[in-house]
Amino acid sequence: MGASSEPSMNPEPFSDEQHKQRSEIYTYEAPWHIYSMNWSVRRDKNYRLAIASLLEHAQNRVEIVQLHDSTGEIKSDPSLSFDHPYPPTKAIFIPDKDCSKPDLLATSSDYLRIWQINSDSNSSSKIELKSLLNGNKNSEFCGPLTSFDWNEAEPRRIGTSSIDTTCTIWDIERETVDTQLIAHDKEVYDIAWGGAGVFASVSADGSVRVFDLRDKEHSTIIYESSEPDTPLVRLGWNKQDPRYMATIIMDSPKVVVLDIRFPTLPVVELQRHQASANAIAWAPHSSCHICTAGDDMQALIWDLSSMGQPVEGGLDPILAYTAGAEIEQLQWSSSQPDWVAIAFSNKLQILRV
């Protein structure tokens, strides 16, 4: 277990410049297969990420790791590694760049859990469970959570999606459910905020739906898979230009980009992956760049500034990187937008783009 700045494969460089500087890629090897992963956004915690295991038994692990500039190594902090029931389907640090709130990490599996990281002046740290949130009022059991998203505009709000067809909006400060609604006809696989009171979700029913908390009785269907009963599994909402979102079709190499002003018709389809796409991340600092990753071991960055205009033969990515195995997770750092993190097998890599 450990980290190095030497990638263990032959990368297709993002640029010639990067190829010369090996320190553009840092690798961390976990003792288990990595599934969920997220960048911290706090200004005082640069290059910090959470990673979580995908183990078949109930006991799983979460580690908080950080790249140390001086040594060029990504290291895990043993005092911030902890056991987790079931594999976390997602992990997100609180969207708090200014460090004005407690240092929190949320995870989803059987329940939504909020963890608090406490660091004292002696540089020792510990992490403890702050809240365990169950959205099922009638039982201690609830439908497993497939995903969640933390509202950047209102950080007290977290929205979760579940296989029981519901989305639940939590007020995590009061530890109460704000809203719970039946969002789809089948399992809900992902959820994303598009503003303080607007969120979207995707489902096994093949639709993307947008909800406004001011009118909970109605939703707008933005897109439906062209093949009946083809699930949509991932959703990314463009934070820089909320007219656009992207979704992934289950077991498809295609990533569909949507303009919410023109429902049902994709504005562009990204079709250069050679196997199933698994993850999408919009650039946090540019409205027209998106990164996608998949089972073809590729992470691709696309410039969508020409979307809407027909491109003969389809759009090509502007940058490509080949990892050592199928890429299951991808996150673009909002506080350090030059860096993208990918997870494949038991490796976490951070790449300068």
Side-chain angles (χ1 to χ4, degrees), residues 28-334:
Y28 175 76
E29 286 193 39
W32 22 255
H33 189 104
I34 300 170
Y35 183 63
S36 57
M37 171 262 284
N38 189 247
W39 286 96
S40 168
V41 302
R42 288 173 65 99
R43 288 204 173 99
D44 63 347
K45 301 289 183 189
N46 283 347
Y47 303 111
R48 181 178 73 161
L49 299 104
I51 55 173
S53 66
L54 177 60
L55 300 171
E56 288 186 10
H57 42 85
Q59 196 77 316
N60 276 256
R61 291 287 289 173
V62 177
E63 284 187 357
I64 293 178
V65 301
Q66 195 159 7
L67 171 66
H68 295 267
D69 260 347
S70 52
T71 62
E73 280 190 300
I74 301 174
K75 290 186 175 170
S76 169
D77 183 341
S79 63
L80 298 179
S81 298
F82 56 95
D83 288 333
H84 192 286
Y86 306 104
T89 50
K90 201 163 187 183
I92 305 180
F93 284 99
I94 185 170
D96 174 34
K97 282 187 182 175
D98 300 327
C99 315
S100 59
K101 294 181 165 51
D103 192 5
L104 303 178
L105 173 71
T107 58
S108 55
S109 57
D110 50 344
Y111 303 114
L112 178 67
R113 290 176 172 82
I114 313 288
W115 310 83
Q116 182 159 340
I117 302 159
N118 298 307
S119 305
D120 60 30
S121 52
N122 303 326
S123 77
S124 67
S125 305
K126 64 176 184 179
I127 190 162
E128 54 198 7
L129 183 63
K130 179 177 180 289
S131 311
L132 189 150
L133 305 172
N134 175 7
N136 188 338
K137 302 179 188 72
N138 305 317
S139 165
E140 63 183 280
F141 304 106
C142 62
L145 302 178
T146 52
S147 186
F148 72 96
D149 196 22
W150 207 318
N151 194 315
E152 291 181 17
E154 289 216 27
R156 65 185 176 85
R157 275 187 180 158
I158 287 180
T160 63
S161 57
S162 171
I163 64 166
D164 66 9
T165 76
T166 65
C167 289
T168 304
I169 309 304
W170 286 94
D171 180 329
I172 61 159
E173 289 175 2
R174 290 169 38 219
E175 300 188 353
T176 55
V177 172
D178 259 0
T179 302
Q180 186 170 57
L181 41 85
I182 294 171
H184 289 266
D185 303 328
K186 292 185 177 176
E187 299 96 324
V188 190
Y189 285 140
D190 204 3
I191 182 171
W193 289 103
V198 179
F199 70 90
S201 55
V202 292
S203 162
D205 65 16
S207 69
V208 179
R209 298 187 187 190
V210 175
F211 299 84
D212 189 324
L213 294 177
R214 293 166 300 188
D215 180 10
K216 298 169 190 171
E217 300 305 309
H218 301 96
S219 65
T220 307
I221 295 179
I222 298 296
Y223 175 75
E224 291 184 285
S225 331
S226 48
E227 309 279 321
D229 294 324
T230 307
L232 301 177
V233 290
R234 289 286 170 266
L235 180 67
W237 204 322
N238 186 337
K239 296 282 197 288
Q240 296 296 315
D241 188 344
R243 294 173 299 178
Y244 296 105
M245 54 176 72
T247 186
I248 292 174
I249 299 159
M250 183 180 274
D251 299 328
S252 166
K254 202 164 59 172
V255 175
V256 178
V257 180
L258 308 167
D259 182 335
I260 62 172
R261 297 167 300 174
F262 305 105
T264 71
L265 282 176
V267 65
V268 67
E269 292 184 338
L270 308 178
Q271 306 201 55
R272 291 296 182 264
H273 282 290
Q274 306 300 310
S276 299
N278 293 327
I280 41 184
W282 288 95
H285 60 311
S286 158
S287 61
C288 59
H289 289 87
I290 190 170
C291 188
T292 62
D295 279 352
D296 58 358
M297 308 194 291
Q298 293 226 91
L300 306 176
I301 291 185
W302 310 76
D303 178 353
L304 304 183
S305 51
S306 64
M307 70 181 159
Q309 302 157 19
V311 178
E312 195 174 333
L315 200 62
D316 284 319
I318 55 168
L319 299 169
Y321 176 80
T322 303
E326 294 91 343
I327 302 172
E328 293 182 59
Q329 189 58 259
L330 158 73
Q331 297 278 325
W332 203 322
S333 172
S334 61

